[in-house]
Amino acid sequence: MAKYRKLGRTSPQRKALLRNQVTALLYHGKIVTTEARAKEVRKIAGHLIAMAVREKDNFETVTVTAKVPVKDKDGKRVKEVVDGKKVTKFESVEKEIKKDLPSRLHVRRQILRVLYPVVYVPTEAAGRKRNTKEVDLVAKLFDEYGPKYENRHGGYTRIIKKGPRKGDAAMEVILELV
């Protein structure tokens, strides 16, 4: 018996498809796909969530001092003249950051091997390019899904059958996080 389904694709195509669907599932919480794909995506997503649950509290909080540019009411940087040149004005700010311990850092890098980067684009037309943000899915796994599933041993996803697809009669399902 095979360890995985080939899904009628070559290895690089299959890996890209599964990575894409796992990323979409973790970002949106649910996806609509075929039954065979859903069963494969479920394995990968379950593994990633299990790693995140195991390492969710494995960090230390560190206080660091950062130089941050001073901004005016419009959000633009404040400039000052020093020796005849315009220079951005900075202020020192103390921040608390989470510093990963070695095992959590290793898990973070393993998760990043699977997930694609996600960019959030706002729906309103004005300033769409300027307001895009990269979403940190690994932080979402550690901070949101880790505590949510900490008392659960597997079974993080649910498959709900939707019925046959109109074009090719493939069984369509909804794969969602429990």
Side-chain angles (χ1 to χ4, degrees), residues 39-76:
K39 288 179 178 178
E40 287 300 308
V41 169
R42 178 172 56 177
K43 288 182 199 174
I44 300 167
H47 183 64
L48 295 181
I49 293 172
M51 286 194 297
V53 167
R54 200 170 49 243
E55 297 291 333
K56 69 179 176 35
D57 293 327
N58 203 3
F59 62 89
E60 58 186 8
T61 308
V62 181
T63 305
V64 294
T65 306
K67 284 175 57 176
V68 180
V70 178
K71 296 188 177 180
D72 62 3
K73 60 179 169 53
D74 297 329
K76 295 186 179 181

Side-chain angles (χ1 to χ4, degrees), residues 93-156:
V93 177
E94 289 201 355
K95 291 184 179 180
E96 296 233 338
I97 60 168
K98 290 180 181 177
K99 183 180 175 191
D100 290 345
L101 293 176
S103 61
R104 180 170 161 145
L105 181 64
H106 177 62
V107 167
R108 178 183 294 275
R109 288 178 176 159
Q110 282 184 320
I111 291 171
L112 283 171
R113 268 189 351 193
V114 176
L115 298 179
Y116 282 123
V118 177
V119 177
Y120 168 74
V121 180
T123 53
E124 61 272 358
R128 285 180 65 184
K129 194 167 189 173
R130 187 177 341 140
N131 295 332
T132 59
K133 291 183 258 181
E134 189 160 319
V135 178
D136 191 3
L137 270 184
V138 181
K140 185 175 184 179
L141 271 169
F142 285 134
D143 299 337
E144 189 178 320
Y145 296 140
K148 181 178 176 184
Y149 296 122
E150 74 179 315
N151 296 325
R152 193 177 187 103
H153 301 292
Y156 307 115

